Amino acid sequence: MRPAPSASAADTASPVSSLWHVSAPPGPWTLSGECLVGVVRPGSAAALPTGFHGLPGPRMIVGARYDQSPVGPYLELAVCEPARVGGRIGMCVTTMVVNSVEARRGGRSNWGMPKELGALDWSTDGDTRVLHWAERDLTLRATPIGPPLPALVPFRTIQGGLDGPLAAAAKLRGRGRLARVEADVDADDPLAWASGGHVGVIVSSARLVMGEACPTPGLRAALNRTRSAAEPALAWAPNQGD
């Protein structure tokens, strides 16, 4: 298996104390690289932000290798599901890990993404793409089974920001190939429901535009009164909650 270029190891080696001094450019962001998307049947209920409600429909497990971004190259793995907050409907990210301090800071401050730091590795085996998350021993593997076709996917994210819910328009374009996506997840992991084979897509020459996040009207005051939890841990570990 031939390792593919990955984000700088210095991103994951930064001391925790330096995280609070890291800044990141505001949105919108334009990122380019390659991504894997698996469409997963709904499993056990995820912990959505306060005031959010899950909707029927499949979840997505996504792996990405960004060669260019406003904070440099980095790797990312995310899980998202359809949800509603007030009158806004979109995809809510419930798990997200990156291997860049700056990407973590930007995702949290710009869009309310629950990004944490982790050790990620991207590799290739012929046409197969593999993303591995070391701390949770989670592997996402995608093998194309169709020809490349132009792809354009507009979507919206909705997240629970520090000052209230945020919504952002996004657009992914590139060359998509239908793929078989396999997720290998430990049986006792909260994401065990995603384990197995799924239909999906590999998007090469991908270009993702994340628009500037806007507050979702009508719920900010109510959520501010109920929000009391501290920011999640910087990295996942067993018995500490996810």
Side-chain angles (χ1 to χ4, degrees):
M1 185 174 290
R2 177 174 59 86
S6 60
S8 170
D11 288 333
T12 58
S14 300
V16 171
S17 61
S18 68
L19 289 174
W20 313 115
H21 305 288
V22 171
S23 61
W29 280 17
T30 299
L31 311 94
S32 61
E34 189 172 26
C35 67
L36 326 171
V37 182
V39 180
V40 186
R41 292 181 179 180
S44 57
L48 292 169
T50 302
F52 284 58
H53 304 278
L55 296 176
R59 298 180 183 180
M60 306 287 182
I61 183 165
V62 182
R65 185 199 72 209
Y66 296 120
D67 300 319
Q68 296 182 1
S69 84
V71 293
Y74 68 94
L75 303 177
E76 179 177 274
L77 187 146
V79 175
C80 56
E81 66 176 89
R84 174 182 62 83
V85 57
R88 296 290 183 96
I89 294 174
M91 298 301 292
C92 182
V93 176
T94 55
T95 299
M96 180 174 271
V97 59
V98 296
N99 66 343
S100 160
V101 175
E102 293 81 6
R104 176 187 181 273
R105 174 62 70 186
R108 284 180 172 268
S109 61
N110 292 335
W111 296 283
M113 300 290 183
K115 290 190 177 185
E116 56 185 281
L117 286 174
L120 297 173
D121 177 72
W122 181 283
S123 59
T124 64
D125 184 7
D127 286 339
T128 298
R129 302 292 186 264
V130 181
L131 180 62
H132 181 69
W133 182 2
E135 287 85 356
R136 294 175 73 157
D137 195 22
L138 187 158
T139 301
L140 188 64
R141 179 180 291 101
T143 302
I145 56 176
L149 296 171
L152 174 61
V153 183
F155 61 98
R156 175 192 288 158
T157 64
I158 52 172
Q159 300 296 142
L162 292 177
D163 296 322
L166 299 172
K171 184 189 304 180
L172 173 66
R173 68 168 68 236
R175 294 181 62 80
R177 299 181 69 181
L178 188 67
R180 176 175 175 80
V181 178
E182 298 180 9
D184 185 4
V185 189
D186 286 345
D188 59 349
D189 190 287
L191 295 177
W193 53 266
S195 192
H198 315 288
V199 66
V201 65
I202 299 174
V203 183
S204 58
S205 301
R207 184 175 185 268
L208 172 65
V209 178
M210 283 294 303
E212 185 176 357
C214 300
T216 300
L219 288 177
R220 172 170 291 187
L223 292 183
N224 282 343
R225 288 195 296 269
T226 60
R227 180 175 287 108
S228 59
E231 185 181 58
L234 300 181
W236 182 90
N239 301 322
Q240 292 183 357
D242 186 20

